[in-house]
Amino acid sequence: MAQENPVLVEVCRGGRVESVHRGAVVVADGDGKVVWSAGDETQVSYPRSSLKMFQALPVVLSGVTESLRLSGEDYALLLASHSGELPHTRRVAALLQKIDLTMDALECGSHNPYDHATSFNLEKRGEAPCPLHNNCSGKHSGMLMLAHAKKTDHKNYIDPAHAVQIEIAKTIEKFCDVKLSLPAIDGCSAPTFALPMVAMARGLARFGAHAGDDQAGADLLLQAAMAHPYFVAGTGRHCTMVMETLPGKVFVKTGAEAFYAAVIPHLGLGVAIKIDDGAERASQLALNGVLHKLGLVDDKAKERITLSKELKSFRGLAAGEMRVAQNIFS
């Protein structure tokens, strides 16, 4: 990082600051004009799953989703980091069936469902998680659909040299107005790219800008995600909660290592957040702080989209709080 980023979130106990989370925030329009920022605007970070709308767009633009008659829930899953609950896994399996494939075609690997109840029930039944439970299985199903549309072999579709990944990289470059360097490997084994924070914010703003040849596809994805936030994340997840609380106003998407992205179509803005130490608890509060600062959170919404969270002991005693830094978000 070119400079030390400011403290965005504080963790307090006994009236003292016990821990801090530093990071960077950029709010920009589609021209790349920074409307508001904190920290290093030029910092290069991996947005990770916050890139999923750009990975899903070529699938939609190929025409395959229309020909397969995808529903709104299906479109939301294409850019989801879902919790692996039964409605998620059933729908991903149905998406694969539309192109005559099974979960064996998924190259994302397996992990325990993010949803604790689902994970517990799997273990109780003596079952191991499968690729459908991977939070990225919806995205990977989209990649398989894109290979189907291009009439190319879907095997090894996660290779950066595969036609599917080349199309995705071009989409990121176009929206974010960058020349991408060599990709890294994401947790789901697909390629992922590092971007300057301001470039990511610019790309997000353009995604919701209602202009350009690609906008019909981008609008379809945004509207589906905002209408079906459960399929973007799941029960008890922050992304789902924010979109349910601010219906139709904002699309939000978390990424690993405490990246957070937001598209605010009616304001023409994109938001990129990265917490330096990778703590998701801090990125969630920082996003809340940005939404408050931009005037999107009314009195009713403040009950859920909070600027602080109480910390309690295991006995339930009030022990402290985690809060956004007032000097940044006030």
Side-chain angles (χ1 to χ4, degrees):
M1 289 171 285
Q3 66 185 53
E4 185 176 53
N5 284 320
V7 172
L8 299 181
V9 175
E10 302 170 330
V11 183
C12 304
R13 187 182 302 272
R16 296 177 181 273
V17 175
E18 183 177 32
S19 302
V20 297
H21 297 286
R22 295 181 178 273
V25 182
V26 180
V27 181
D29 65 18
D31 293 325
K33 178 184 176 183
V34 175
V35 174
W36 179 77
S37 69
D40 186 2
E41 300 172 5
T42 64
Q43 173 180 317
V44 177
S45 302
Y46 288 105
R48 303 289 294 276
S49 284
S50 293
L51 284 170
K52 283 183 177 175
M53 68 286 294
F54 301 119
Q55 293 167 314
L57 183 58
V59 186
V60 176
L61 296 179
S62 73
V64 67
T65 58
E66 183 177 5
S67 67
L68 296 176
R69 299 183 179 179
L70 264 61
S71 67
E73 293 92 339
D74 295 332
Y75 282 109
L77 269 177
L78 294 183
L79 43 71
S81 295
H82 66 73
S83 294
E85 298 168 73
L86 189 57
H88 300 133
T89 55
R90 277 181 173 172
R91 194 167 285 275
V92 173
L95 287 176
L96 293 169
Q97 190 175 19
K98 287 177 180 288
I99 50 174
D100 298 321
L101 294 175
T102 69
M103 68 178 182
D104 293 334
L106 294 171
E107 298 178 9
C108 54
S110 305
H111 64 70
N112 283 326
Y114 287 166
D115 181 67
H116 295 305
T118 304
S119 183
F120 174 80
N121 288 331
L122 274 179
E123 186 175 354
K124 187 177 179 180
R125 295 194 301 267
E127 299 177 14
C130 69
L132 296 175
H133 293 108
N134 189 304
N135 77 97
C136 295
S137 62
K139 175 184 81 173
H140 279 251
S141 297
M143 292 176 177
L144 288 166
M145 288 181 188
L146 184 54
H148 176 81
K150 287 181 167 292
K151 295 181 170 55
T152 186
D153 188 353
H154 66 79
K155 293 180 181 178
N156 206 26
Y157 66 86
I158 59 173
D159 189 321
H162 193 283
V164 165
Q165 301 304 332
I166 291 172
E167 195 70 27
I168 289 170
K170 288 179 180 177
T171 302
I172 297 171
E173 289 184 330
K174 178 178 180 178
F175 274 82
C176 298
D177 195 18
V178 292
K179 181 65 178 175
L180 295 175
S181 58
L182 292 174
I185 299 175
D186 211 335
C188 66
S189 298
T192 190
F193 297 93
L195 301 171
M197 295 287 288
V198 68
M200 181 63 177
R202 175 172 57 228
L204 292 164
R206 288 179 175 177
F207 203 86
H210 303 285
D213 297 337
D214 302 334
Q215 202 57 51
D219 284 347
L220 192 157
L221 285 167
L222 284 177
Q223 295 303 317
M226 290 189 291
H228 304 283
Y230 168 79
F231 285 95
V232 176
T235 303
R237 297 278 300 282
H238 190 257
C239 286
T240 297
M241 180 277 291
V242 169
M243 288 188 283
E244 286 178 345
T245 307
L246 302 175
K249 291 184 179 180
V250 60
F251 167 72
V252 298
K253 184 70 196 68
T254 188
E257 296 298 325
F259 203 99
Y260 226 130
V263 180
I264 310 170
H266 71 283
L267 296 181
L269 297 177
V271 180
I273 301 170
K274 176 67 173 81
I275 302 298
D276 294 346
D277 62 12
E280 186 176 308
R281 66 177 185 175
S283 62
Q284 292 177 357
L285 265 186
L287 176 73
N288 290 1
V290 172
L291 297 177
H292 276 260
K293 195 171 185 72
L294 294 176
L296 296 173
V297 184
D298 59 23
D299 288 340
K300 184 178 180 180
K302 287 178 182 177
E303 297 176 7
R304 301 188 74 191
I305 303 177
T306 62
L307 296 177
S308 65
K309 293 184 178 181
E310 185 180 26
L311 303 177
K312 292 185 177 182
S313 72
F314 292 116
R315 193 179 176 183
L317 301 177
E321 68 171 346
M322 182 169 58
R323 66 194 184 197
V324 298
Q326 293 183 358
N327 64 314
I328 300 293
F329 294 102
S330 60

